[in-house]
Amino acid sequence: LNIKVDIMIKILVLGSNGMVGTSILNSFSNENKFKIIPSTRKDTNLFIFSETEKLINETKPDILINAAAKVGGIVANNEQRTQFLIENLRINTNILESCIPFKNIKIINLGSSCIYPLNAENPISEDEFMNGKLEPTNSPYAMAKLTAIELGNAMKEQYGHKVINLMPTNLYGPNDNFSEHDSHVIPGLMFRMEIAKNNNIDSFNIWGSGKPLREFLHVDDLSNAIKFIINNEIEDSILNVGSGDEVSIKSIAENIKQVIQYKGVLSFDTSKPDGNPRKLLNSSKMLNYGWKSEIQLFEGLESTYKWFQENIKIN
């Protein structure tokens, strides 16, 4: 008598209440073959090795998704350089060291496109890893992410672990950090423009010329990419995850203006720095596997703004 037993795959999601973590939980909510184990700082302090080790030992996941990080926009990265380096190093090294005894755990580590060199040729391929000088404003954060990749690679060579490092492009979506000073470009513009609209301010100031080109990916597209990687048992060491669509900062601001229905004039302060003129990932590896992003930018901005209106209070 052959009895087929379906064993559920246990997935531990670290940082499960952040933007990426929340999206991952939603993405897997209707999947019967997976048992999702969410973890936040309320149950485990990832800065403390013993707590991190206890979590891994007790849950013994088949797959670990590391979506835990200290994140912020360009201002926060530049002003809190020490904290961004120390805190992200602690999180990543504690998680990976805790996994050393369990080489059967498949680790999906979330990095950032900022790990690539400042002068990397666009579109930026995975081959640019460790190939040049970092962008100065967020180099501490990038260095912590680079260390996690190097440690994962070391564990792979020394112990046989499976570690996949995903490098998403600029993410946005529900549960993002919406604030005036510490946000990335889309939530920051959305937050400040909503204030301008509510106060009938007829001019909205934006740093720089608006000409730099950026690539944006809705967080739900990243979650679908993670699910795709798991379902297709993809094991590349580093994989870029991007939409492939470039848009200028000016165009992003105009789209947000349309979504918010702000009636004022957009003013670009050319005395302020533009930053990197272009930053586009080469995501051909993921595309060749059969994954592609599905959420168009304007559609994503609309759903993000809806969440923002329902969840963020502006004083």
Side-chain angles (χ1 to χ4, degrees):
L1 181 64
N2 292 324
I3 300 174
K4 184 180 178 182
V5 179
D6 290 326
I7 300 173
M8 294 185 76
I9 298 169
K10 290 193 293 184
I11 302 179
L12 175 61
V13 182
L14 302 175
S16 63
N17 63 345
M19 176 175 68
V20 175
T22 302
S23 178
I24 292 169
L25 297 188
N26 292 335
S27 176
F28 282 94
S29 60
N30 295 320
E31 296 279 345
N32 294 325
K33 66 178 179 179
F34 299 112
K35 179 184 178 182
I36 304 300
I37 306 167
S39 177
T40 72
R41 66 188 63 185
K42 290 182 179 178
D43 61 75
T44 305
N45 185 348
L46 296 175
F47 294 149
I48 300 174
F49 177 75
S50 60
E51 288 196 28
T52 311
E53 184 181 42
K54 182 173 181 241
L55 175 69
I56 305 300
N57 285 332
E58 289 182 351
T59 57
K60 290 185 173 60
D62 300 295
I63 298 169
L64 182 151
I65 302 174
N66 179 17
K70 178 180 177 64
V71 297
I74 188 170
V75 175
N77 269 276
N78 202 31
E79 291 181 352
Q80 302 174 46
R81 301 176 70 83
T82 306
Q83 289 81 3
F84 270 82
L85 180 55
I86 290 174
E87 293 184 20
N88 284 298
L89 274 175
R90 280 181 179 157
I91 290 169
N92 294 328
T93 54
N94 283 344
I95 291 167
L96 290 168
E97 186 179 353
S98 296
C99 289
I100 288 176
F102 306 100
K103 68 177 183 181
N104 291 326
I105 297 176
K106 187 173 188 175
I107 302 166
I108 298 178
N109 186 51
L110 291 171
S112 165
S113 60
C114 73
I115 68 152
Y116 292 120
L118 173 63
N119 297 317
E121 183 179 346
N122 281 268
I124 305 169
S125 78
E126 292 89 348
D127 293 336
E128 291 291 342
F129 170 66
M130 300 278 281
N131 201 30
K133 183 178 173 62
L134 298 169
E135 203 284 317
T137 55
N138 60 10
S139 59
Y141 178 77
M143 193 65 72
K145 292 296 183 182
L146 286 167
T147 302
I149 298 171
E150 191 69 9
L151 180 53
N153 288 341
M155 289 167 57
K156 185 176 183 178
E157 289 184 25
Q158 189 172 350
Y159 302 111
H161 287 77
K162 294 178 181 177
V163 185
I164 302 160
N165 298 284
L166 299 188
M167 301 302 125
T169 191
N170 301 294
L171 296 172
Y172 73 99
N175 293 286
D176 206 341
N177 173 29
F178 294 85
S179 72
E180 192 166 355
H181 301 293
D182 296 336
S183 296
H184 290 109
V185 59
I186 287 179
L189 286 173
M190 200 169 277
F191 185 91
R192 292 197 302 115
M193 210 177 288
E194 181 78 352
I195 292 174
K197 183 182 103 171
N198 292 344
N199 290 283
N200 296 312
I201 298 170
D202 57 12
S203 180
F204 183 82
N205 188 56
I206 300 169
W207 271 35
S209 66
K211 293 178 182 178
L213 298 174
R214 293 292 181 268
E215 176 188 28
F216 293 95
L217 184 74
H218 193 281
V219 67
D220 290 349
D221 273 331
L222 173 62
S223 296
N224 287 331
I226 292 170
K227 188 193 290 187
F228 181 89
I229 286 165
I230 291 171
N231 285 330
N232 290 278
E233 299 183 351
I234 295 167
E235 295 183 357
D236 292 57
S237 176
I238 302 180
L239 279 171
N240 288 342
V241 186
S243 63
D245 296 324
E246 284 185 287
V247 61
S248 69
I249 299 297
K250 181 180 180 182
S251 180
I252 275 287
E254 289 171 343
N255 276 313
I256 292 173
K257 176 182 175 180
Q258 186 178 343
V259 167
I260 289 179
Q261 297 184 328
Y262 171 63
K263 304 301 183 185
V265 175
L266 302 182
S267 172
F268 292 87
D269 185 354
T270 55
S271 70
K272 302 296 185 185
D274 267 341
N276 204 326
R278 188 186 185 209
K279 193 175 180 185
L280 174 68
L281 289 182
N282 180 344
S283 300
S284 59
K285 282 188 179 181
M286 279 296 290
L287 295 174
N288 290 337
Y289 279 126
W291 172 88
K292 65 176 181 178
S293 65
E294 297 178 352
I295 300 172
Q296 298 299 312
L297 182 60
F298 195 81
E299 172 196 350
L301 290 175
E302 286 184 314
S303 63
T304 300
Y305 180 58
K306 184 175 185 292
W307 184 91
F308 169 72
Q309 284 184 301
E310 292 171 353
N311 293 276
I312 304 296
K313 292 183 180 179
I314 297 178
N315 296 328

